[in-house]
Amino acid sequence: MRKKFIAFLISFILTFSVSGLSYVRAQSSQEDIQGNLVIVGGGLGSSNKGVYERFIELAGSKKAKIGIIPAASGKLKSSLDFKQDLINYGVSPESVEILPLSNHDFSDTDENESNWKNQANSLEIAKQIRGLTAIWFVGGDQQRIVDTLRREGKDSIVLKEIWDIYRNGAVIGGTSAGAAIMSNTMITGGDSLGALKGYYEKNQNQGVGKEYEPLSVEKGLGFFQNGIVDQHMDERARYARLAITAIQYENNGNLAYGIDEDTAMVVSNKEKTIEVIGRSGVSVIDVNEAKRNGNLENIKINYLAQGDKIHFDTNSIDFSKNKYETKGYEYYSFKTLPNTGLLTPYGKLKDYLAYSLVDNESSQEVKSYLYGKEGRGYEIVFRKSKDTNGYWNYTDGQKDDYSIQNVTMDIYPKKLVFNEQDSAIDYKKSDFTVSNYTREEPIKGNLVIVGGALGSSNSAVYNKLIELAGGPENAKVGIIPAASTKLTSSNDFTKDLINYGVKKDSIEILPISSHDFKGTPEDEKQWINNMNDDQLVKKISKLNCIWFVGGDQTLITSSLLNENGSNSKVLDAIWKIYENGAVIGGTSAGAAIMSNTMIAGGDSYGALRYGFTKSYNDMEQQEGGPVYLEKGLNFFQDGIVDQHFDKKARLGRLIVTANEKGKKNQLAFGVDEDTAMIVNNKKHQVDVVGRGGLTVIDLSKIKTSKNMPNKYKNVIVSVVSPGDHVNLLTNEVSLSNLKSSTKGFEYYDSKVAPYTGVFSPHGLLKNFLAYNLVDNDQTKEVHSYSFNDAKGFELTFRKTAETNGYWTYKDGQKDDYSVVNVSLDIKPINVVIR
């Protein structure tokens, strides 16, 4: 039933010692290689056109002759799927061969492929390879690839032939395990916590039966001769394991490269460059000036994205010319929290460094932590220096895309001690009141509520919005620009709708705003008078779709609500077409206004520690602090909605708000970026569409304390994916029929360390719960922490009888999970760091 084969064979893991791996240090001499490499960090989507087309181009386009080596995988399916992807991208079926190279049997075939063991020295296969222009290694277990092609330290005939065609111009590519084998130093196991413990503690038995895995390293195939390569970098947070490997085994001035999933580094040996292509990035770690004095200091981190290049002969970087420097032009100015767990905004490393440090004029350094369940671990400090810089632009519409240059990382051993608090002196309850008015007449229209950062390429969301508006021929769309500081967002959304087939003259940007826009000759602040304009009311009555762009949600409500809080004529007109069948949609701020109680500011830590505030000060309040509430527009009458949910880690603030302001037995909803919850008012159903998840909070079983208003027991958390549904009448979640239940068929069987920051694997809520809890037979509960200034919170996620996970593949062989009915307890703690 299940998907891949990963074996954590602790008894075979090499001990972390310099002497045991001294042969790895002696790299091959630099050769005059004419070929190229396409090294993918895993999770390559079948739709990743850029990576597939570059590989095919380097293979000779129409003249391409490609051999796929299946050795790493437990099944032949990976190779068959990759072959079909190549065919779909234009390679003729006759030009793609799956080579019979493996040291083991595949579980999904009738043939016994363990008989292929001697094929690596077959002259016939060597002759086959001689006629190829490309080789591809599929993912799985990298040791299987090496054991197949090299016996007792000796290269096979086939491996020598692969080297020959590579020297003469062929392209070598691979994903996941197929990336790990590329460098001479091949990382075969371990995580960041295990690597640090191995470096600092030198314990030969460390990791056995623990919640971390020790670092293990062997000799790779060495196609990439200019540093160490690691993969699944961001998803599995392998930064520390890569840094430690580089410190231990790379002494010749090279850099270390960590490739994210669905991303490739393309190596040109002729030009001596590495180019980044794909959907995420490559972290580049420089340990050449690292100091080892009981601590690890002065490690340099760069993070490269699509279009960036490295010259590996000089270690210099060319950042994409389409990006703008952030140094001296920082957009953000807010007090950053240390990254301590699942409640920290911008939880993944690239986002954390970008938003919290390099593009934030208020920060000179930020911290994160990594430790086991006993609290023994490490403090990681990221610092700006004079050569630190960031580079920014939009990608795929209006998604932020950052590159990062020269952030300094220091690592210090620490011991963390947690004790439960017995009072909540900082917490203030909310005195915000809003009417619980629900329209009795049926609403015929629908809602498209997007969590922010809607990609222009997200056809599923755009097509659904247009479908609900009557199709491209009949859609009549009014765009409300009020939330933004510029008209750019509205103009870009107009272009996107036209690209998806809506007629240009059927789209209009409505003159609704309470402030002036930058870069326009008109003073749009005067539009405040339009909220009760009869001509605008008449215009809206002819529309069947209203869209609210993102920005500041308080600017939308101030543009549509009268000073006394009542509906303006324009808002009543929008309500009338909505009741009669129009679709109302919005992204980011345009999602926040959808519910009656509108969350306008605050973060999860601020919500849990401080509760609520009456004040609002724009960016700083949007990025952190206690919760600030205002009256929303009430289009969604079945719960409270929050947005940018996983990226800004808003689980805590939604729980706090829903507990105080939600209606009994109503759910609360957190929408991820590039994802929509589609509300069908006739069916009383929510459908999930797009690329992320929808977090569903059920407080029907919650237990709280009067003395400890920020202590919770039995919060029920579900995170569902595209294709799943929520019934708003029964609160039941129904899953896509493409998914299989994990209950009783758990794939993983390992202990799990607490989620503690940017070096903890599976940093998004859904993935943390999926891989570590619901699809893990050995765990009954998992923990995360959030703290600052010695005060914080422990989150305990528990399995119950109702807990389940559901899994399938999406877009090729990417894991796609839904998680249902996990029980969450939150308790305040005091924190001591020694």
Side-chain angles (χ1 to χ4, degrees), residues 338-340 367-371 378-380 416 756-757 787 833:
N339 194 318
T340 57
K367 296 179 181 179
S368 187
Y369 294 86
L370 182 66
Y371 48 87
Y378 310 92
E379 180 181 78
I380 304 108
L416 291 88
T756 60
F787 56 86
I833 302 174

Side-chain angles (χ1 to χ4, degrees), residues 606-624:
L608 285 166
R609 181 168 175 183
Y610 302 111
F612 296 84
T613 180
K614 296 180 181 179
S615 63
Y616 181 69
N617 56 356
D618 194 37
M619 179 190 293
E620 187 171 340
Q621 186 67 14
Q622 286 189 44
E623 296 297 331

Side-chain angles (χ1 to χ4, degrees), residues 134-387:
I135 294 287
W136 183 266
F137 294 92
V138 300
D141 181 345
Q142 49 265 47
Q143 192 61 58
R144 286 174 169 173
I145 299 174
V146 175
D147 289 348
T148 298
L149 295 178
R150 183 185 288 145
R151 296 289 172 84
E152 298 178 355
K154 185 178 179 181
D155 290 357
S156 65
I157 293 172
V158 163
L159 181 55
K160 290 176 182 178
E161 200 63 58
I162 292 171
W163 263 102
D164 281 347
I165 65 170
Y166 175 44
R167 289 187 188 98
N168 292 326
V171 57
I172 309 293
T175 182
S176 187
I181 55 95
M182 292 289 180
S183 50
N184 214 35
T185 302
M186 179 178 75
I187 304 174
T188 57
D191 54 30
S192 285
L193 182 57
L196 284 170
K197 284 187 174 293
Y199 179 81
Y200 279 101
E201 299 177 12
K202 309 297 182 187
N203 183 350
Q204 298 300 311
N205 295 318
Q206 56 102 16
V208 178
K210 302 286 186 180
E211 73 271 39
Y212 52 85
E213 184 187 3
L215 178 66
S216 57
V217 180
E218 290 198 10
K219 187 176 181 180
L221 300 186
F223 298 119
F224 179 62
Q225 301 191 333
N226 299 92
I228 298 172
V229 171
D230 206 351
Q231 17 78 48
H232 297 284
M233 198 66 185
D234 201 29
E235 178 59 43
R236 300 185 191 178
R238 288 172 164 171
Y239 310 100
R241 94 166 187 177
L242 181 57
I244 294 298
T245 306
I247 286 169
Q248 292 285 61
Y249 305 115
E250 192 77 21
N251 290 331
N252 52 10
N254 287 331
L255 304 176
Y257 302 87
I259 313 171
D260 292 346
E261 293 182 356
D262 218 5
T263 305
M265 50 184 270
V266 180
V267 180
S268 170
N269 289 297
K270 286 183 184 178
E271 298 179 6
K272 300 188 186 309
T273 60
I274 297 168
E275 181 184 359
V276 179
I277 62 174
R279 291 177 173 148
S280 190
V282 174
S283 55
V284 183
I285 297 177
D286 182 352
V287 301
N288 289 298
E289 297 179 8
K291 298 177 182 177
R292 290 170 260 184
N293 53 5
N295 302 313
L296 283 173
E297 298 178 352
N298 208 38
I299 299 167
K300 295 286 187 178
I301 292 183
N302 297 272
Y303 218 110
L304 279 60
Q306 171 91 19
D308 297 335
K309 278 188 178 181
I310 309 169
H311 300 267
F312 55 72
D313 55 340
T314 62
N315 289 350
S316 60
I317 301 173
D318 294 335
F319 292 96
S320 170
K321 293 180 180 179
N322 295 325
K323 288 182 178 168
Y324 301 93
E325 292 188 38
T326 63
K327 193 171 187 176
Y329 305 93
E330 289 85 355
Y331 179 76
Y332 294 94
S333 180
F334 63 91
K335 182 180 179 182
T336 58
L337 290 172
N339 194 318
T340 57
L342 285 171
L343 297 187
T344 307
Y346 312 115
K348 292 201 167 188
L349 182 66
K350 178 182 174 181
D351 288 341
Y352 188 60
L353 296 183
Y355 293 100
S356 298
L357 186 65
V358 300
D359 202 14
N360 188 344
E361 65 179 2
S362 297
S363 295
Q364 293 303 312
E365 70 173 38
V366 291
K367 296 179 181 179
S368 187
Y369 294 86
L370 182 66
Y371 48 87
K373 64 182 180 181
E374 295 177 353
R376 294 189 179 277
Y378 310 92
E379 180 181 78
I380 304 108
V381 179
F382 301 98
R383 295 184 284 113
K384 286 179 182 174
S385 60
K386 62 182 180 181
D387 57 352

Side-chain angles (χ1 to χ4, degrees), residues 180 192 208 293 318 352 391-392 489 533 546 557 669 724 749 757 822:
S192 285
V208 178
N293 53 5
D318 294 335
Y352 188 60
Y391 299 85
W392 168 90
S489 301
D533 182 78
I546 296 289
T557 54
F669 300 86
D724 300 335
D749 185 17
V822 170

Side-chain angles (χ1 to χ4, degrees), residues 424-445:
I425 57 174
D426 296 324
Y427 188 91
K428 293 182 180 178
K429 295 180 72 70
S430 173
D431 57 6
F432 171 78
T433 58
V434 63
S435 66
N436 288 324
Y437 174 66
T438 301
R439 302 212 169 204
E440 294 182 1
E441 58 271 26
I443 298 172
K444 298 177 182 178

Side-chain angles (χ1 to χ4, degrees), residues 669-694:
F669 300 86
V671 194
D672 290 349
E673 292 185 351
D674 217 7
T675 308
M677 56 179 282
I678 310 297
V679 181
N680 185 315
N681 286 300
K682 290 181 182 177
K683 292 183 178 179
H684 300 282
Q685 179 172 293
V686 168
D687 301 323
V688 186
V689 174
R691 292 172 172 153
L694 176 70

Side-chain angles (χ1 to χ4, degrees), residues 614-655:
K614 296 180 181 179
S615 63
Y616 181 69
N617 56 356
D618 194 37
M619 179 190 293
E620 187 171 340
Q621 186 67 14
Q622 286 189 44
E623 296 297 331
V627 179
Y628 174 70
L629 301 176
E630 280 196 7
K631 175 182 168 65
L633 301 186
N634 202 26
F635 296 122
F636 179 61
Q637 304 197 341
D638 294 284
I640 297 173
V641 171
D642 208 350
Q643 20 75 48
H644 296 284
F645 198 71
D646 222 344
K647 188 167 188 175
K648 297 194 177 184
R650 287 173 165 169
L651 176 66
R653 88 168 191 179
L654 182 57
I655 290 170

